[in-house]
Amino acid sequence: MSRKMTSEDQAVLENAPITYYFTMIFAAFGTMLAFYYLYQVMERVNVFLFFLSVCGGGIPIGFIGVFIDYKMLQSRLKKK
């Protein structure tokens, strides 16, 4: 039951910016959580620890924030 977009709906969708607030919050939270856990295990701060924290926590949990941002944008567009 898909609906074809009219040109007006498509223009609104193209001009509606996605704000990445939740993405930044979730990525920062995931990075800090992974950093805390890895710091307890490694007991030393180095570049490898930061790299693992960003890849292990920030990027995957940041995708959850992207999904939330996208759903919020959809709900705002439906209200218009």
Side-chain angles (χ1 to χ4, degrees), residues 25-41 49 52-54 56-58 61:
I25 291 169
F26 276 64
F29 178 71
T31 302
M32 296 304 279
L33 192 65
F35 181 78
Y36 176 75
Y37 176 74
L38 290 172
Y39 181 72
Q40 298 297 322
V41 173
L49 180 72
L52 283 178
S53 298
V54 171
I61 296 177

PDB file of all heavy atoms in Angstrom, residues 25-41 49 52-54 56-58 61:
ATOM      1  N   ILE A  25      24.621  12.539  20.130  1.00  0.00           N
ATOM      2  CA  ILE A  25      24.447  12.122  21.523  1.00  0.00           C
ATOM      3  C   ILE A  25      24.700  10.631  21.677  1.00  0.00           C
ATOM      4  O   ILE A  25      25.427  10.202  22.582  1.00  0.00           O
ATOM      5  CB  ILE A  25      23.040  12.504  22.020  1.00  0.00           C
ATOM      6  CG1 ILE A  25      22.917  14.019  22.131  1.00  0.00           C
ATOM      7  CG2 ILE A  25      22.727  11.843  23.360  1.00  0.00           C
ATOM      8  CD1 ILE A  25      21.503  14.509  22.357  1.00  0.00           C
ATOM      9  N   PHE A  26      24.111   9.820  20.807  1.00  0.00           N
ATOM     10  CA  PHE A  26      24.276   8.375  20.909  1.00  0.00           C
ATOM     11  C   PHE A  26      25.710   7.955  20.611  1.00  0.00           C
ATOM     12  O   PHE A  26      26.243   7.044  21.241  1.00  0.00           O
ATOM     13  CB  PHE A  26      23.299   7.663  19.963  1.00  0.00           C
ATOM     14  CG  PHE A  26      21.933   7.471  20.535  1.00  0.00           C
ATOM     15  CD1 PHE A  26      21.138   8.556  20.838  1.00  0.00           C
ATOM     16  CD2 PHE A  26      21.442   6.206  20.771  1.00  0.00           C
ATOM     17  CE1 PHE A  26      19.881   8.398  21.367  1.00  0.00           C
ATOM     18  CE2 PHE A  26      20.180   6.028  21.290  1.00  0.00           C
ATOM     19  CZ  PHE A  26      19.395   7.127  21.594  1.00  0.00           C
ATOM     20  N   ALA A  27      26.347   8.613  19.630  1.00  0.00           N
ATOM     21  CA  ALA A  27      27.737   8.279  19.313  1.00  0.00           C
ATOM     22  C   ALA A  27      28.658   8.633  20.470  1.00  0.00           C
ATOM     23  O   ALA A  27      29.564   7.872  20.818  1.00  0.00           O
ATOM     24  CB  ALA A  27      28.176   8.989  18.040  1.00  0.00           C
ATOM     25  N   ALA A  28      28.435   9.799  21.085  1.00  0.00           N
ATOM     26  CA  ALA A  28      29.265  10.190  22.231  1.00  0.00           C
ATOM     27  C   ALA A  28      29.044   9.242  23.411  1.00  0.00           C
ATOM     28  O   ALA A  28      30.008   8.829  24.073  1.00  0.00           O
ATOM     29  CB  ALA A  28      28.944  11.625  22.639  1.00  0.00           C
ATOM     30  N   PHE A  29      27.796   8.876  23.660  1.00  0.00           N
ATOM     31  CA  PHE A  29      27.501   7.952  24.756  1.00  0.00           C
ATOM     32  C   PHE A  29      28.137   6.589  24.505  1.00  0.00           C
ATOM     33  O   PHE A  29      28.747   5.998  25.406  1.00  0.00           O
ATOM     34  CB  PHE A  29      25.982   7.799  24.928  1.00  0.00           C
ATOM     35  CG  PHE A  29      25.601   6.830  25.986  1.00  0.00           C
ATOM     36  CD1 PHE A  29      25.788   7.117  27.321  1.00  0.00           C
ATOM     37  CD2 PHE A  29      25.059   5.590  25.642  1.00  0.00           C
ATOM     38  CE1 PHE A  29      25.433   6.209  28.307  1.00  0.00           C
ATOM     39  CE2 PHE A  29      24.711   4.682  26.612  1.00  0.00           C
ATOM     40  CZ  PHE A  29      24.896   4.993  27.950  1.00  0.00           C
ATOM     41  N   GLY A  30      28.039   6.084  23.281  1.00  0.00           N
ATOM     42  CA  GLY A  30      28.642   4.790  22.956  1.00  0.00           C
ATOM     43  C   GLY A  30      30.154   4.816  23.044  1.00  0.00           C
ATOM     44  O   GLY A  30      30.779   3.861  23.520  1.00  0.00           O
ATOM     45  N   THR A  31      30.754   5.911  22.603  1.00  0.00           N
ATOM     46  CA  THR A  31      32.205   6.046  22.688  1.00  0.00           C
ATOM     47  C   THR A  31      32.671   6.074  24.134  1.00  0.00           C
ATOM     48  O   THR A  31      33.643   5.404  24.508  1.00  0.00           O
ATOM     49  CB  THR A  31      32.671   7.317  21.959  1.00  0.00           C
ATOM     50  OG1 THR A  31      32.247   7.242  20.591  1.00  0.00           O
ATOM     51  CG2 THR A  31      34.167   7.466  22.008  1.00  0.00           C
ATOM     52  N   MET A  32      31.984   6.858  24.960  1.00  0.00           N
ATOM     53  CA  MET A  32      32.362   6.945  26.375  1.00  0.00           C
ATOM     54  C   MET A  32      32.170   5.612  27.096  1.00  0.00           C
ATOM     55  O   MET A  32      33.000   5.216  27.915  1.00  0.00           O
ATOM     56  CB  MET A  32      31.549   8.047  27.074  1.00  0.00           C
ATOM     57  CG  MET A  32      31.845   9.422  26.536  1.00  0.00           C
ATOM     58  SD  MET A  32      33.589   9.851  26.630  1.00  0.00           S
ATOM     59  CE  MET A  32      33.692  10.337  28.313  1.00  0.00           C
ATOM     60  N   LEU A  33      31.096   4.919  26.775  1.00  0.00           N
ATOM     61  CA  LEU A  33      30.847   3.615  27.396  1.00  0.00           C
ATOM     62  C   LEU A  33      31.922   2.607  26.992  1.00  0.00           C
ATOM     63  O   LEU A  33      32.467   1.889  27.844  1.00  0.00           O
ATOM     64  CB  LEU A  33      29.463   3.108  26.987  1.00  0.00           C
ATOM     65  CG  LEU A  33      28.914   1.930  27.729  1.00  0.00           C
ATOM     66  CD1 LEU A  33      28.675   2.298  29.190  1.00  0.00           C
ATOM     67  CD2 LEU A  33      27.607   1.490  27.098  1.00  0.00           C
ATOM     68  N   ALA A  34      32.255   2.566  25.704  1.00  0.00           N
ATOM     69  CA  ALA A  34      33.304   1.655  25.233  1.00  0.00           C
ATOM     70  C   ALA A  34      34.661   2.055  25.803  1.00  0.00           C
ATOM     71  O   ALA A  34      35.461   1.192  26.189  1.00  0.00           O
ATOM     72  CB  ALA A  34      33.351   1.644  23.707  1.00  0.00           C
ATOM     73  N   PHE A  35      34.934   3.363  25.883  1.00  0.00           N
ATOM     74  CA  PHE A  35      36.200   3.836  26.441  1.00  0.00           C
ATOM     75  C   PHE A  35      36.324   3.430  27.908  1.00  0.00           C
ATOM     76  O   PHE A  35      37.376   2.970  28.348  1.00  0.00           O
ATOM     77  CB  PHE A  35      36.309   5.357  26.298  1.00  0.00           C
ATOM     78  CG  PHE A  35      37.593   5.914  26.833  1.00  0.00           C
ATOM     79  CD1 PHE A  35      38.754   5.818  26.089  1.00  0.00           C
ATOM     80  CD2 PHE A  35      37.643   6.509  28.081  1.00  0.00           C
ATOM     81  CE1 PHE A  35      39.954   6.323  26.580  1.00  0.00           C
ATOM     82  CE2 PHE A  35      38.824   7.016  28.584  1.00  0.00           C
ATOM     83  CZ  PHE A  35      39.980   6.921  27.828  1.00  0.00           C
ATOM     84  N   TYR A  36      35.252   3.596  28.669  1.00  0.00           N
ATOM     85  CA  TYR A  36      35.284   3.236  30.081  1.00  0.00           C
ATOM     86  C   TYR A  36      35.555   1.741  30.265  1.00  0.00           C
ATOM     87  O   TYR A  36      36.386   1.338  31.074  1.00  0.00           O
ATOM     88  CB  TYR A  36      33.955   3.611  30.750  1.00  0.00           C
ATOM     89  CG  TYR A  36      33.881   3.187  32.192  1.00  0.00           C
ATOM     90  CD1 TYR A  36      34.582   3.875  33.170  1.00  0.00           C
ATOM     91  CD2 TYR A  36      33.114   2.091  32.576  1.00  0.00           C
ATOM     92  CE1 TYR A  36      34.528   3.491  34.492  1.00  0.00           C
ATOM     93  CE2 TYR A  36      33.050   1.694  33.889  1.00  0.00           C
ATOM     94  CZ  TYR A  36      33.765   2.394  34.853  1.00  0.00           C
ATOM     95  OH  TYR A  36      33.708   1.996  36.154  1.00  0.00           O
ATOM     96  N   TYR A  37      34.850   0.925  29.476  1.00  0.00           N
ATOM     97  CA  TYR A  37      35.046  -0.525  29.579  1.00  0.00           C
ATOM     98  C   TYR A  37      36.470  -0.918  29.173  1.00  0.00           C
ATOM     99  O   TYR A  37      37.127  -1.700  29.865  1.00  0.00           O
ATOM    100  CB  TYR A  37      34.029  -1.257  28.713  1.00  0.00           C
ATOM    101  CG  TYR A  37      34.253  -2.744  28.705  1.00  0.00           C
ATOM    102  CD1 TYR A  37      33.921  -3.514  29.805  1.00  0.00           C
ATOM    103  CD2 TYR A  37      34.824  -3.375  27.603  1.00  0.00           C
ATOM    104  CE1 TYR A  37      34.147  -4.879  29.813  1.00  0.00           C
ATOM    105  CE2 TYR A  37      35.053  -4.733  27.602  1.00  0.00           C
ATOM    106  CZ  TYR A  37      34.713  -5.481  28.714  1.00  0.00           C
ATOM    107  OH  TYR A  37      34.940  -6.830  28.714  1.00  0.00           O
ATOM    108  N   LEU A  38      36.954  -0.383  28.060  1.00  0.00           N
ATOM    109  CA  LEU A  38      38.294  -0.738  27.594  1.00  0.00           C
ATOM    110  C   LEU A  38      39.380  -0.212  28.523  1.00  0.00           C
ATOM    111  O   LEU A  38      40.418  -0.847  28.690  1.00  0.00           O
ATOM    112  CB  LEU A  38      38.515  -0.224  26.171  1.00  0.00           C
ATOM    113  CG  LEU A  38      37.710  -0.938  25.085  1.00  0.00           C
ATOM    114  CD1 LEU A  38      37.868  -0.207  23.768  1.00  0.00           C
ATOM    115  CD2 LEU A  38      38.147  -2.383  24.966  1.00  0.00           C
ATOM    116  N   TYR A  39      39.145   0.939  29.133  1.00  0.00           N
ATOM    117  CA  TYR A  39      40.123   1.477  30.070  1.00  0.00           C
ATOM    118  C   TYR A  39      40.248   0.569  31.297  1.00  0.00           C
ATOM    119  O   TYR A  39      41.346   0.382  31.829  1.00  0.00           O
ATOM    120  CB  TYR A  39      39.739   2.898  30.497  1.00  0.00           C
ATOM    121  CG  TYR A  39      40.735   3.509  31.450  1.00  0.00           C
ATOM    122  CD1 TYR A  39      41.983   3.911  30.978  1.00  0.00           C
ATOM    123  CD2 TYR A  39      40.439   3.678  32.793  1.00  0.00           C
ATOM    124  CE1 TYR A  39      42.909   4.477  31.839  1.00  0.00           C
ATOM    125  CE2 TYR A  39      41.361   4.240  33.655  1.00  0.00           C
ATOM    126  CZ  TYR A  39      42.594   4.627  33.184  1.00  0.00           C
ATOM    127  OH  TYR A  39      43.517   5.178  34.039  1.00  0.00           O
ATOM    128  N   GLN A  40      39.135  -0.006  31.727  1.00  0.00           N
ATOM    129  CA  GLN A  40      39.174  -0.937  32.860  1.00  0.00           C
ATOM    130  C   GLN A  40      39.975  -2.186  32.502  1.00  0.00           C
ATOM    131  O   GLN A  40      40.682  -2.742  33.340  1.00  0.00           O
ATOM    132  CB  GLN A  40      37.750  -1.350  33.267  1.00  0.00           C
ATOM    133  CG  GLN A  40      36.880  -0.213  33.729  1.00  0.00           C
ATOM    134  CD  GLN A  40      37.410   0.461  34.973  1.00  0.00           C
ATOM    135  OE1 GLN A  40      37.929  -0.184  35.866  1.00  0.00           O
ATOM    136  NE2 GLN A  40      37.282   1.778  35.016  1.00  0.00           N
ATOM    137  N   VAL A  41      39.880  -2.612  31.268  1.00  0.00           N
ATOM    138  CA  VAL A  41      40.589  -3.816  30.825  1.00  0.00           C
ATOM    139  C   VAL A  41      42.069  -3.529  30.559  1.00  0.00           C
ATOM    140  O   VAL A  41      42.947  -4.277  30.997  1.00  0.00           O
ATOM    141  CB  VAL A  41      39.915  -4.395  29.560  1.00  0.00           C
ATOM    142  CG1 VAL A  41      40.724  -5.545  28.985  1.00  0.00           C
ATOM    143  CG2 VAL A  41      38.500  -4.852  29.885  1.00  0.00           C
ATOM    144  N   LEU A  49      43.343   2.600  22.049  1.00  0.00           N
ATOM    145  CA  LEU A  49      42.170   2.609  22.920  1.00  0.00           C
ATOM    146  C   LEU A  49      41.115   3.576  22.383  1.00  0.00           C
ATOM    147  O   LEU A  49      39.916   3.249  22.359  1.00  0.00           O
ATOM    148  CB  LEU A  49      42.576   2.991  24.341  1.00  0.00           C
ATOM    149  CG  LEU A  49      41.462   3.057  25.373  1.00  0.00           C
ATOM    150  CD1 LEU A  49      40.980   1.654  25.714  1.00  0.00           C
ATOM    151  CD2 LEU A  49      41.962   3.739  26.618  1.00  0.00           C
ATOM    152  N   LEU A  52      39.541   1.982  19.192  1.00  0.00           N
ATOM    153  CA  LEU A  52      38.583   0.930  19.540  1.00  0.00           C
ATOM    154  C   LEU A  52      37.302   1.502  20.135  1.00  0.00           C
ATOM    155  O   LEU A  52      36.213   0.984  19.883  1.00  0.00           O
ATOM    156  CB  LEU A  52      39.210  -0.056  20.521  1.00  0.00           C
ATOM    157  CG  LEU A  52      40.176  -1.076  19.951  1.00  0.00           C
ATOM    158  CD1 LEU A  52      40.745  -1.938  21.072  1.00  0.00           C
ATOM    159  CD2 LEU A  52      39.494  -1.948  18.928  1.00  0.00           C
ATOM    160  N   SER A  53      37.422   2.548  20.928  1.00  0.00           N
ATOM    161  CA  SER A  53      36.243   3.156  21.540  1.00  0.00           C
ATOM    162  C   SER A  53      35.311   3.749  20.491  1.00  0.00           C
ATOM    163  O   SER A  53      34.093   3.575  20.563  1.00  0.00           O
ATOM    164  CB  SER A  53      36.655   4.249  22.515  1.00  0.00           C
ATOM    165  OG  SER A  53      37.421   3.724  23.552  1.00  0.00           O
ATOM    166  N   VAL A  54      35.886   4.432  19.519  1.00  0.00           N
ATOM    167  CA  VAL A  54      35.062   5.040  18.476  1.00  0.00           C
ATOM    168  C   VAL A  54      34.428   3.969  17.593  1.00  0.00           C
ATOM    169  O   VAL A  54      33.238   4.010  17.293  1.00  0.00           O
ATOM    170  CB  VAL A  54      35.895   6.033  17.629  1.00  0.00           C
ATOM    171  CG1 VAL A  54      35.119   6.496  16.416  1.00  0.00           C
ATOM    172  CG2 VAL A  54      36.314   7.210  18.476  1.00  0.00           C
ATOM    173  N   GLY A  56      34.078   0.678  18.282  1.00  0.00           N
ATOM    174  CA  GLY A  56      33.282  -0.303  19.016  1.00  0.00           C
ATOM    175  C   GLY A  56      32.013   0.248  19.622  1.00  0.00           C
ATOM    176  O   GLY A  56      31.026  -0.461  19.742  1.00  0.00           O
ATOM    177  N   GLY A  57      32.007   1.513  19.996  1.00  0.00           N
ATOM    178  CA  GLY A  57      30.836   2.066  20.644  1.00  0.00           C
ATOM    179  C   GLY A  57      30.205   3.201  19.887  1.00  0.00           C
ATOM    180  O   GLY A  57      28.992   3.252  19.724  1.00  0.00           O
ATOM    181  N   GLY A  58      31.021   4.134  19.426  1.00  0.00           N
ATOM    182  CA  GLY A  58      30.481   5.342  18.814  1.00  0.00           C
ATOM    183  C   GLY A  58      29.773   5.116  17.500  1.00  0.00           C
ATOM    184  O   GLY A  58      28.665   5.602  17.289  1.00  0.00           O
ATOM    185  N   ILE A  61      26.424   2.572  17.860  1.00  0.00           N
ATOM    186  CA  ILE A  61      25.345   3.200  18.615  1.00  0.00           C
ATOM    187  C   ILE A  61      24.906   4.490  17.939  1.00  0.00           C
ATOM    188  O   ILE A  61      23.746   4.880  18.023  1.00  0.00           O
ATOM    189  CB  ILE A  61      25.779   3.408  20.079  1.00  0.00           C
ATOM    190  CG1 ILE A  61      26.011   2.043  20.723  1.00  0.00           C
ATOM    191  CG2 ILE A  61      24.745   4.180  20.868  1.00  0.00           C
ATOM    192  CD1 ILE A  61      26.504   2.075  22.136  1.00  0.00           C
TER     193      ILE A  61
END
